Amino acid sequence: MNNYDVIIIGAGPIGLACGLEAQEAGLSYLILEKGCLVNSLYNYPANMTFFSTSERLEIGDVPFVSNNAKPTRAEALEYYRRVAVHRKLAINLFETVESVTSQENLYQITTSKAQYSCKSIVIATGFYDIPYLMEVEGEDLPKVTHYYEEPHFYSMQNVLVVGANNSAVDAALETWRKGANVTMVVRSEGIGERVKYWAKPDIENRIKEGSIQAFFNSEVAAIRQHEVDIKTPEGIVTIPNDYVIAMTGYQPNLTFLEKMGIELSQDEIRKPFYDDKTQETNLPNVFLAGVICGGMNTHSLFIENSRVHATHIMDTLKKRFL
């Protein structure tokens, strides 16, 4: 049967929370995910530690027990997997949504594997899939990555880290501690203010003592096989380079929303239109949940302050369909 009360697009923590609430409400539902379970978290650095405490990452009233005050990526992956398996959530993984159309009060969803119809849709696709590009010569070389995994690979190599927020700082510190020769390129005049409080003094001290070289108010000008040009206030600086880790940030797939007909604000934030009380967009029975609600302002919503979206949405659908 491919007919549902609600189809949830995205199996991240908020998508799973929506599935739990739909299950609790007695609604027929299906979660569609183009990658693996909690795909965004899977792509986080292997040694990442969350800023939030474990209880703030919990969904569906299932306790999240961590060995530390701040849980790790590995603990989060295990927690959300156990929740999905224990609660027997209906999830189709590695199935990409290709198109959404409406027909006679129903929505038709075509994916890479099948077709479905549903009365309502929840979009919980996050923002970790599309990196901001530097748009410089050589960015397409195999040695350039926008996703950092773990540090051992970069041992004894000349590594350039682009960016100054949490992902960049983690990559710089971890690769340096594994023996890489690390240089940072930062567009602003200092390390980002949102960097985790235990990492910020660490990176600043490594830069101050000269262990990690940093070019502030600078940007990458060109990338070649064995070197990189950096545009600094003093002019172009060329340094030897083996790998570039470009932690330049990510953006939500707002094009997908636009193709569906969801209205976006006309400013640089491009915030989708939705009702704050129900999470419903300008399209009837189409809802947004999680970070996608913030548009390009991806730092305004997190797991801990958007878990409630699932409750708002399913309470609304329960009144309409049951």
Side-chain angles (χ1 to χ4, degrees):
M1 292 182 62
N2 285 352
N3 302 311
Y4 298 92
D5 289 327
V6 56
I7 284 182
I8 300 157
I9 303 175
I14 303 305
L16 297 183
C18 290
L20 291 170
E21 291 293 336
Q23 187 182 70
E24 182 71 20
L27 297 163
S28 61
Y29 74 96
L30 177 66
I31 304 173
L32 298 173
E33 167 57 55
K34 71 176 183 179
C36 66
L37 189 69
V38 287
N39 192 65
S40 293
L41 299 192
Y42 175 76
N43 284 312
Y44 283 1
N47 300 320
M48 194 208 80
T49 299
F50 282 85
F51 192 88
S52 301
T53 56
S54 58
E55 64 267 18
R56 292 182 176 273
L57 302 177
E58 293 174 355
I59 57 174
D61 294 324
V62 179
F64 183 174
V65 179
S66 171
N67 293 324
N68 307 289
K70 309 285 188 178
T72 65
R73 165 189 172 273
E75 289 175 322
L77 289 178
E78 180 64 9
Y79 169 73
Y80 292 117
R81 183 188 68 82
R82 291 295 297 270
V83 169
V85 172
H86 179 67
R87 292 295 180 89
K88 296 181 173 61
L89 288 176
I91 307 173
N92 287 3
L93 299 174
F94 302 102
E95 184 168 353
T96 302
V97 174
E98 296 178 341
S99 66
V100 178
T101 58
S102 60
Q103 184 178 1
E104 296 180 358
N105 298 322
L106 291 176
Y107 289 99
Q108 310 297 324
I109 295 181
T110 300
T111 74
S112 54
K113 296 181 178 180
Q115 291 186 326
Y116 307 92
S117 63
C118 55
K119 298 177 184 176
S120 63
I121 298 172
V122 176
I123 302 171
T125 48
F127 76 104
Y128 206 63
D129 292 327
I130 307 174
Y132 284 105
L133 299 181
M134 296 178 289
E135 299 182 344
V136 298
E137 175 190 350
E139 188 170 11
D140 57 347
L141 288 172
K143 72 174 191 174
V144 180
T145 181
H146 287 272
Y147 294 92
Y148 166 72
E149 296 180 9
E150 60 87 32
H152 175 79
F153 178 85
Y154 300 99
S155 178
M156 303 170 66
Q157 302 295 293
N158 293 311
V159 176
L160 181 71
V161 177
V162 184
N165 289 315
N166 281 300
S167 295
V169 168
D170 286 346
L173 288 171
E174 289 183 9
T175 54
W176 171 72
R177 290 198 162 95
K178 293 300 182 182
N181 176 31
V182 178
T183 301
M184 297 184 73
V185 172
V186 180
R187 295 185 99 175
S188 59
E189 60 184 17
I191 297 299
E193 292 301 319
R194 291 192 299 268
V195 171
K196 290 170 284 194
Y197 63 83
W198 60 88
K200 194 168 189 291
D202 191 358
I203 189 66
E204 289 175 338
N205 286 333
R206 302 295 76 76
I207 293 170
K208 184 177 181 180
E209 71 188 15
S211 298
I212 294 175
Q213 185 178 25
F215 292 94
F216 294 104
N217 298 308
S218 303
E219 58 188 47
V220 175
I223 303 169
R224 292 180 292 279
Q225 193 61 49
H226 301 294
E227 58 188 14
V228 170
D229 291 339
I230 303 171
K231 183 180 179 182
T232 75
E234 288 73 37
I236 295 293
V237 174
T238 300
I239 63 171
N241 175 259
D242 298 305
Y243 292 97
V244 176
I245 304 174
M247 298 287 94
T248 49
Y250 309 92
Q251 55 187 306
N253 189 353
L254 298 177
T255 301
F256 177 72
L257 302 188
E258 286 183 305
K259 286 182 178 179
M260 285 184 61
I262 295 174
E263 296 177 359
L264 306 179
S265 66
Q266 297 302 305
D267 55 18
E268 68 277 4
I269 303 299
R270 302 184 71 205
K271 187 176 185 294
F273 171 85
Y274 64 93
D275 187 302
D276 290 334
K277 295 180 180 178
T278 65
Q279 303 298 127
E280 189 171 19
T281 69
N282 57 288
L283 299 180
N285 293 318
V286 175
F287 301 81
L288 300 180
V291 180
I292 191 73
C293 297
M296 300 299 283
N297 186 5
T298 56
H299 299 289
S300 61
L301 290 165
F302 311 91
I303 298 171
E304 63 183 71
N305 65 1
S306 57
R307 296 175 297 178
V308 68
H309 294 173
T311 304
H312 293 167
I313 294 168
M314 297 309 159
D315 283 348
T316 300
L317 293 183
K318 186 164 57 174
K319 294 173 183 177
R320 293 180 184 179
F321 300 154
L322 297 180

